[in-house]
Amino acid sequence: MLQSPLMKAVRREPVAQTPVWLMRQAGRFLPEYRKLRQSTPFLELCKTPDLAAEIMIATVRRLGVDAAILFSDLLLILEPMGMQLEFSAGGGPVLHNPLRTATDVDRLAELDSVEPLGFVMETVRKTREGLPDSIPLIGFAGAPFTLAAYAIEGGTSRDYRLAKAMMYTDTGAWDALMARLARAVTLYLNAQIDAGAQLVQVFDSWAGCLGVEDYRRYVLPHTRSVLEAIRPGVPVIHFATGNPSLLPSLSEAFGKKRRDAAVGVDWRIPLDDAWRAIGYDRAIQGNLDPAVLLAGPSEIRRRVRELLHRAGSRPGHIFNLGHGVLPQTPVENVLTLVQAVHEFSPCGGR
Ligand code: CP3
């Protein structure tokens, strides 16, 4: 498993074929998943380890990707901390008791143990058991900022004004919240590793709503405390979207000691520019626009080839989309993508 293309790429070792997996590779674009969802609500799927494991194992087999990711959700960690989570019929998450004041923040419970999230560790174990040895399993969690933004806004937001308002007006409450989330996420990720995850990805999906100075002042120290405390020797991918000028800071958040580290990049910046910004001492993951999968096979193949050229012959590229697969994506287009990455890589067929 340590010799699998993904584990080699994240260590920046040369590979015969560039590894590829897709964020949201198990989800609504797959007819099998949609069928299962007709009878089982999403949160129940996440809390039934046999089903959650089987979804990901079947997805990896069907798509031919080089990694599995834990089937779960970013927001589940907030439940044992006292937040009421619901996925509405329309799909979006809702937190019914959002944190709006310092008193609310005080009420958020410390996650002292991962026992209430035992079903996640069980899913990790079962997924690992059902996967071929050659396929690494990625554990994941939200970064403190993205979790804090959800907890404060109470769901998805367009402008994150409530989260930013707390950050600017009550920095004490903000830092207390971020530190509590950072401790929880650290515990959670290390428990996933103990249960059988070979590497982990930290999603800071909404960090791109911040400018660089705010990111560095209000977010980076907390994310760094998570990334530095993940078990030594376990590779980590740090992913954010929306603001390419954050890339050097995302890389810096690993601290000085961690060697096997990758930064996940969205499509708003060319991959070669992104790698320069991150530093060549890191691996890079990304960064095809998910909307390209709505185009036809020839355009998909052309874009894959172009992206692999941008990665060039430098080891350390993990092929992925710049964000999750869109639910409207035809399955055959994903198959075309995976096949094209393997066919043209590692450097665009040259
Ligand atoms: O294939 C995978 O990546 C499987 C596991 C996975 C899910 N969510 C399953 C899911 C992962 C890694 C996540 C992470 C996640 N969840 C993130 C970070 C990644 C990102 O997209 O930025 C975030 C922000 C969430 C929160 C979340 N969960 C939202 C905003 C939504 C609704 C919108 C959407 O895209 O569906 C979800 C729902 C969700 N998470 C589904 C799945 C399979 C769909 C649920 C359904 O069946 O309706």
Side-chain angles (χ1 to χ4, degrees), residues 21-29 33-34 37 40-43 45-46 55-56 59 69-75 87-93 140-142 146 150 155-156 201 203-206 239 241 323-325 327:
W21 70 278
L22 308 177
M23 290 182 276
R24 292 293 174 88
Q25 62 192 12
R28 280 169 301 182
F29 82 100
Y33 176 82
R34 285 200 301 271
R37 278 282 285 103
T40 318
F42 173 59
L43 276 181
L45 276 186
C46 293
I55 292 168
M56 190 48 72
T59 298
I69 182 161
L70 162 68
F71 187 88
S72 185
D73 195 77
L74 195 83
L75 299 169
F87 281 85
S88 58
F140 79 90
T146 292
Y150 268 108
T156 309
Q201 174 155 330
F203 286 88
D204 214 348
S205 305
W206 309 136
F239 167 75
T241 73
H323 206 166
V325 183

Side-chain angles (χ1 to χ4, degrees), residues 21 23 201-204 236-244 246-247 250-251 254 261-267 269 271 274 278 282-287 318 320-323:
W21 70 278
M23 290 182 276
Q201 174 155 330
V202 175
F203 286 88
D204 214 348
V236 181
I237 304 166
H238 185 197
F239 167 75
T241 73
N243 182 359
L246 296 182
L247 289 171
L250 298 177
S251 188
F254 285 115
V263 176
V265 180
D266 78 10
W267 63 90
I269 176 172
L271 188 92
I278 289 162
R282 306 286 186 218
I284 189 166
Q285 174 173 281
N287 73 340
I318 302 163
N320 206 315
L321 304 178
H323 206 166

